[in-house]
Amino acid sequence: MLDQSETTHFRTCPLCEAMCGLAITVRGDEIMSIRGDVDDPFSRGHICPKGAALQDIHTDPDRLRHPVRRTASGWERIDWDTAFAEVVAGLKAVQARHGSDAVGVYQGNPSVHNLGTSLFSPAFVKSLKTKNRFSATSVDQLPHQFVAYLMYGHQLLLPIPDLDRTDFLLILGANPAVSNGSLMTAPDVKRRLKAIRQRGGKVVVIDPRRNETAALADEHHFIRPGSDALLVLALLNTILGEGLANPDRLAAFTDGLERIEPLVAEFTPEQVAPQVGIAAATIRQLARDFAQAPSAVCYGRIGVSVQAFGAVTQWLIQVLNIVTGNLDRAGGAMLTTPAIDTLAVGGKGNFARWTSRVRGLPEFSGELPVVTLAEEIATPGAGQIRAMVTSAGNPVLSTPNGRQLDAALAGLDFMVSIDFYINETTRHATIILPPTSPLEHDHYDLVFHVLAIRNTTRYDPALFEAPADTRHDWEIFQTLAGLMTATADSPPRKPIPPAAMVERGLWAGPYKLALETLADHPHGIDLGPLEPRLPERLFSADKRITLAPELLVADLARVRAELLHAPDSGPALRLIGRRQLRSNNSWMHNSQRLVKGEDRCTLLISPHDAAQRNISAGQQVQVRSRVGNVAAAAEISDTLMPGVVCLPHGWGHGLEGVLLGVAQAHAGVSINDLTDELAIDPVCGNAALNGVPVEVEALG
Ligand SMILES: Nc1nc2c(c(=O)[nH]1)N[C@H]1C(S)=C(S)[C@@H](COP(=O)(O)OP(=O)(O)OC[C@H]3O[C@@H](n4cnc5c(=O)[nH]c(N)nc54)[C@H](O)[C@@H]3O)O[C@H]1N2
Ligand SMILES: Nc1nc2c(c(=O)[nH]1)N[C@H]1C(S)=C(S)[C@@H](COP(=O)(O)OP(=O)(O)OC[C@H]3O[C@@H](n4cnc5c(=O)[nH]c(N)nc54)[C@H](O)[C@@H]3O)O[C@H]1N2
Ligand code: SF4
Ligand SMILES: [Mo]
């Protein structure tokens, strides 16, 4: 008999990076309400509409609870033993015929929000012995990891803006007021941004769109998409030229400080202003304000990561924080001291140990850039991908030229997806293995505590018991790894469940916490503000910062040739993306409460560009790029810089075979039917999703 009294459980929202505490009231197996947990010392009761929509995922009739197999007449339910056996047979058959590299893997964003996947997918992926591994990293934060690896010796040693103490926040290409922060876990981020100004500090936003964060800032400046490297170079030029640099204690363990001034010499504000679209005087003033603030931090996110100069820009942002002495000091960019030291166990990083077969793009930490996935599947020859494993990802909607990938996936010999939805990607699977719902398994943020603006820790046991005959992500991976590697004389080993691994990690960590202590604190434990960690925390062998890594210094030649002395970009408009509060990448559109209301998949266009093309508000327009075209309603808005248009990402659910009833009724179009798999940052292979040249014309 189910207990029919109401009880309230506290757990972390796993959807975005903010780690909000939730208070979930249930009666039996029914969710009565989901609210913000006011007693969570970190999130203080904050919640966004997606947090409440966790209920919709949990109860969604379209969410798979048991494995399915694709047949000519539709999907058929199969039992777990059959599913596992057929998956292993399918993968092994392709390996036997074509070699290990013929099996490709794609891991999506929720992988890092899922404890079981984080802990158990690596062994399975390793068991495949394939060089064809891909993930959402290369449409996202690859430049950050690449730069951290080169400068600090560990791909995850990412300096985090000390939001609660900074006097000056310079934001390039991020919209935390909507995204709730990224590589900057900061629940209730809007309140924290407002607090900067309330205590006399300053917030400046640089963005081709006057976004929702700009509304909270002192200043906003439009910037031509993809030109941020020039802006930061000019800031450095001014700071060094005017004698405003002061690396302070960082100088003692930083190599290459003397190299920066000559490198930035030609990038004066006057030189870059026409390309960047910001007046020279404004750039100079910004440089002075930044350098002279008691503390300051420059923070660049997706807008500067997924562009052709992502790595060099993320590097220059680090240099700016360092030469002004703002790395590793209160109010600057700081390093965390997480309760479980994920960095100590995770790999430091590797680069270019191999390259992709077709385009020769370099591996980073075992993964190839996902821009090359479709051609690796579609191009015949030795090493061609003939089978795919996807887990917690939807690359048909989330990676550039999604239509090309869609077609390539349709031609595979075998595909398995570990996912609870039949969406644009998983509809191509031979077999889908669905994990339990987010409320049915334990949760601990192994990654986001490392990226948080305060040191905190929080462990959440499963809220609901998993229904009979279901599997958690970790059980799926553990079973698959076991079956892939088992031989007659070495049967699969008994696994250590996630909770026990968390317990070990906590105990080995800097605070020596017991899991019981966390269990006694269901609202989480605050471990205090970030503290200076350098140089001890560096992972470089000599405990020194490499301020001017050769790979990045060399890329300044491309900045010079393609940005500073860029030929006139012609009449094409530049397409950028946007996030929306009630979306989470591609996969929350099956929640009625999140999609209700007006069509959100609109093309933002400036009044100037609309007038030039005789486009009126709400009119359907066609957007065309090198790779494809889509139609959307125009939304004329002066929040957009002239010459730039903007579509949200994650929409485009109208493809045949998608089994998401609500999402299909609000299908929208996919921006990644326009983004170009050939547009990349050549240094690390990250996708250049922003700044895509497009033409727009009125329809009908
Ligand atoms: N509601 C919601 N929250 C989310 C997500 C979601 O889908 N929905 N996704 C989550 C994920 S996976 C991530 S990685 C984070 C991302 O978090 P953010 O980085 O904050 O993401 P965006 O909101 O896309 O903000 C990117 C900004 O860059 C601007 N931009 C575009 N091109 C350029 C350029 O060339 N230069 C400059 N300076 N700016 C540019 C855009 O106009 C936009 O304002 O958000 C997370 N949070
Ligand atoms: N043009 C453009 N494209 C973009 C971006 C952009 O700004 N502009 N942003 C990029 C960014 S930052 C990111 S991170 C990517 C995201 O790209 P992806 O990770 O490829 O896509 P998602 O939409 O996050 O899809 C997540 C999938 O995981 C499933 N899922 C959810 N939770 C779980 C779970 O616990 N276990 C399992 N097994 N599955 C689960 C969902 O059903 C869904 O199918 O998109 C990128 N694409
Ligand atoms: S802001 Fe992020 S973590 Fe907080 S409730 Fe919304 S989706 Fe969940
Ligand atoms: Mo992301």
Side-chain angles (χ1 to χ4, degrees):
M1 259 276 297
L2 277 173
D3 179 3
Q4 288 304 322
S5 58
E6 275 193 10
T7 48
T8 298
H9 298 256
F10 303 98
R11 66 190 287 112
T12 316
C13 175
L15 294 174
C16 86
E17 299 178 36
M19 296 201 301
C20 296
L22 303 177
I24 306 182
T25 302
V26 301
R27 186 188 294 153
D29 58 7
E30 199 185 341
I31 298 170
M32 310 308 291
S33 70
I34 300 183
R35 285 162 293 121
D37 177 1
V38 288
D39 295 318
D40 180 316
F42 195 29
S43 66
R44 305 176 292 206
H46 179 260
I47 185 174
C48 88
K50 293 185 295 300
L54 270 176
Q55 174 171 10
D56 305 341
I57 300 175
H58 187 71
T59 57
D60 192 343
D62 288 335
R63 181 169 62 82
L64 298 176
R65 274 97 170 150
H66 47 74
V68 290
R69 170 166 61 198
R70 192 154 43 84
T71 72
S73 55
W75 294 93
E76 126 187 286
R77 176 175 179 167
I78 54 175
D79 64 70
W80 283 98
D81 287 345
T82 307
F84 284 129
E86 289 193 10
V87 167
V88 170
L91 295 175
K92 286 194 166 175
V94 168
Q95 287 175 330
R97 233 176 300 137
H98 306 287
S100 333
D101 290 339
V103 176
V105 181
Y106 176 86
Q107 295 191 268
N109 168 278
S111 303
V112 279
H113 296 266
N114 183 301
L115 175 65
T117 300
S118 308
L119 292 173
F120 284 81
S121 68
F124 168 63
V125 172
K126 196 168 164 217
S127 78
L128 296 173
K129 300 192 177 70
T130 175
K131 291 200 170 82
N132 282 315
R133 292 173 48 195
F134 304 86
S135 79
T137 291
S138 51
V139 280
D140 191 347
Q141 80 289 354
L142 175 55
H144 298 257
Q145 290 182 222
F146 182 71
V147 166
Y149 160 73
L150 293 175
M151 295 182 73
Y152 309 126
H154 197 301
Q155 57 179 335
L156 286 181
L157 196 61
L158 303 175
I160 310 302
D162 186 15
L163 217 53
D164 291 347
R165 289 181 291 188
T166 194
D167 297 292
F168 196 108
L169 176 64
L170 173 59
I171 302 181
L172 269 58
N175 190 12
V178 165
S179 71
N180 289 296
S182 181
L183 305 185
M184 179 177 80
T185 289
D188 199 5
V189 68
K190 278 167 89 168
R191 182 146 64 121
R192 295 177 196 271
L193 290 171
K194 285 179 195 154
I196 297 175
R197 299 181 64 196
Q198 279 158 6
R199 62 177 179 261
K202 194 166 176 181
V203 180
V204 178
V205 171
I206 309 285
D207 201 295
R209 181 166 77 88
R210 194 165 65 248
N211 62 19
E212 292 78 356
T213 305
L216 305 173
D218 296 83
E219 278 177 35
H220 163 256
H221 303 285
F222 284 135
I223 186 166
R224 292 250 305 264
S227 69
D228 303 80
L230 289 180
L231 172 67
V232 187
L233 282 161
L235 294 176
L236 286 166
N237 175 289
T238 306
I239 288 168
L240 291 161
E242 297 187 4
L244 299 171
N246 180 10
D248 211 4
R249 59 180 270 275
L250 303 172
F253 48 88
T254 301
D255 290 327
L257 274 165
E258 72 296 342
R259 291 189 63 192
I260 304 302
E261 191 161 359
L263 287 175
V264 305
E266 71 189 285
F267 300 95
T268 62
E270 291 70 21
Q271 277 286 322
V272 307
Q275 309 296 348
V276 168
I278 303 175
T282 307
I283 298 176
R284 280 195 188 281
Q285 192 56 47
L286 183 57
R288 291 174 191 140
D289 291 350
F290 188 91
Q292 288 166 349
S295 69
V297 57
C298 179
Y299 164 68
R301 199 46 196 104
I302 273 285
V304 274
S305 303
V306 289
Q307 54 151 288
F309 297 90
V312 76
T313 307
Q314 292 299 350
W315 165 55
L316 292 166
I317 288 172
Q318 300 299 319
V319 175
L320 178 62
N321 288 333
I322 290 172
V323 301
T324 53
N326 281 301
L327 178 68
D328 201 39
R329 84 164 170 211
M334 300 195 78
L335 298 163
T336 54
T337 308
I340 296 182
D341 192 1
T342 309
L343 274 66
V345 287
K348 291 198 248 179
N350 284 295
F351 181 57
R353 289 170 301 170
W354 62 86
T355 54
S356 66
R357 178 179 64 106
V358 179
R359 225 194 293 179
L361 296 177
E363 154 271 352
F364 181 76
S365 294
E367 291 180 2
L368 291 167
V370 73
V371 289
T372 189
L373 175 56
E375 64 202 9
E376 290 294 336
I377 298 173
T379 312
Q384 179 185 7
I385 297 177
R386 300 301 320 146
M388 277 300 294
V389 177
T390 76
S391 170
N394 191 6
V396 168
L397 291 192
S398 60
T399 68
N401 202 349
R403 284 302 171 103
Q404 187 192 41
L405 180 62
D406 191 47
L409 294 176
L412 288 169
D413 295 344
F414 185 80
M415 174 166 158
V416 55
S417 293
I418 298 147
D419 202 305
F420 39 57
Y421 282 124
I422 300 178
N423 62 21
E424 299 71 20
T425 298
T426 60
R427 73 197 170 110
H428 292 295
T430 321
I431 289 177
I432 303 177
L433 304 173
T436 50
S437 107
L439 301 178
E440 291 165 352
H441 51 73
D442 304 346
H443 182 79
Y444 188 92
D445 279 292
L446 290 173
V447 172
F448 300 106
H449 286 302
V450 174
L451 306 174
I453 62 155
R454 279 184 81 83
N455 293 313
T456 68
T457 185
R458 181 169 175 151
Y459 171 75
D460 313 306
L463 197 171
F464 295 117
E465 202 179 315
D469 207 26
T470 58
R471 298 287 185 282
H472 301 303
D473 288 86
W474 73 270
E475 293 174 313
I476 295 172
F477 282 115
Q478 192 262 328
T479 304
L480 289 175
L483 292 172
M484 287 302 289
T485 52
T487 56
D489 38 293
S490 73
R493 272 186 301 170
K494 242 187 115 58
I496 306 166
M501 288 170 84
V502 168
E503 184 162 28
R504 286 181 187 189
L506 287 167
W507 195 245
Y511 310 91
K512 300 231 169 302
L513 289 164
L515 191 61
E516 256 172 44
T517 312
L518 271 68
D520 290 343
H521 292 82
H523 308 288
I525 301 174
D526 182 34
L527 299 166
L530 305 187
E531 283 177 15
R533 304 278 338 253
L534 295 182
E536 289 74 15
R537 186 63 167 160
L538 294 170
F539 281 74
S540 46
D542 55 2
K543 296 272 176 208
R544 295 181 68 79
I545 296 172
T546 304
L547 191 61
E550 295 311 331
L551 280 168
L552 297 165
V553 171
D555 202 37
L556 289 175
R558 194 171 58 100
V559 173
R560 193 176 301 119
E562 293 179 22
L563 282 182
L564 191 60
H565 306 298
D568 181 15
S569 58
L573 296 166
R574 298 283 161 169
L575 175 68
I576 61 168
R578 73 177 181 276
R579 283 181 158 69
Q580 300 173 314
L581 191 59
R582 288 183 290 134
S583 293
N584 194 31
N585 297 319
S586 77
W587 70 281
M588 293 286 287
H589 295 150
N590 216 39
S591 160
Q592 186 59 41
R593 81 177 87 194
L594 292 184
V595 291
K596 66 174 189 243
E598 281 177 13
D599 170 25
R600 303 206 305 268
C601 191
T602 56
L603 183 85
L604 293 181
I605 184 166
S606 73
H608 168 86
D609 293 316
Q612 257 191 356
R613 290 164 182 76
N614 282 320
I615 293 168
S616 49
Q619 187 174 9
Q620 285 287 308
V621 295
Q622 173 137 88
V623 191
R624 200 159 2 97
S625 74
R626 183 190 76 87
V627 309
N629 63 78
V630 304
E635 192 176 333
I636 300 173
S637 168
D638 68 359
T639 59
L640 224 57
M641 183 177 191
V644 180
V645 289
C646 173
L647 263 180
H649 83 283
W651 297 92
H653 307 295
L655 297 177
E656 203 189 317
V658 171
L659 284 177
L660 299 164
V662 177
Q664 289 211 293
H666 304 263
V669 293
S670 176
I671 187 177
N672 288 320
D673 290 349
L674 298 169
T675 56
D676 192 332
E677 83 283 6
L678 297 181
I680 62 169
D681 176 351
V683 180
C684 60
N686 210 38
L689 301 170
N690 286 323
V692 180
V694 291
E695 279 160 37
V696 177
E697 63 189 26
L699 277 175

